[in-house]
Amino acid sequence: RRVLRVSKDISISSFDNSPLAKKSVYNLTSVVYPGQQIGAMAAEMLLKYLQTGKVQGGIKIPPAIKLRGSIKNLSNHKAKEG
């Protein structure tokens, strides 16, 4: 049985940047989920809909990543052939 080490052999990340990601044993890298921004945009869209009766198209929110200690550094990594 092989033992894998986080950030040495494998990388682990989470989604939503919850408080548990910060407090975990591995100090998880996480995709930041901007809940407050999404809620504010949803409220604006709802108000516009109530005023105009028209539904606005989709919205794109660029992703953000909070880097912590659970991702392997591949900057000096050479790909294995074969």
Side-chain angles (χ1 to χ4, degrees):
R1 183 172 161 170
R2 184 174 170 202
V3 175
L4 296 176
R5 298 165 298 161
V6 173
S7 82
K8 303 288 187 229
D9 303 312
I10 61 171
S11 296
I12 298 175
S13 64
S14 67
F15 180 80
D16 83 1
N17 197 31
S18 74
L20 293 175
K22 298 174 205 168
K23 295 178 182 179
S24 75
V25 173
Y26 304 112
N27 198 18
L28 290 176
T29 291
S30 187
V31 175
V32 178
Y33 181 79
Q36 189 171 9
Q37 180 184 7
I38 291 170
M41 293 175 91
E44 285 179 26
M45 289 174 70
L46 178 59
L47 289 173
K48 285 181 184 177
Y49 172 74
L50 293 172
Q51 292 170 352
T52 65
K54 295 180 182 178
V55 176
Q56 181 179 340
I59 307 172
K60 292 184 180 179
I61 298 174
I65 296 178
K66 178 67 177 173
L67 294 173
R68 294 194 182 96
S70 66
I71 300 296
K72 182 176 180 174
N73 182 352
L74 296 176
S75 61
N76 297 322
H77 182 74
K78 293 182 181 178
K80 293 182 183 178
E81 293 183 24

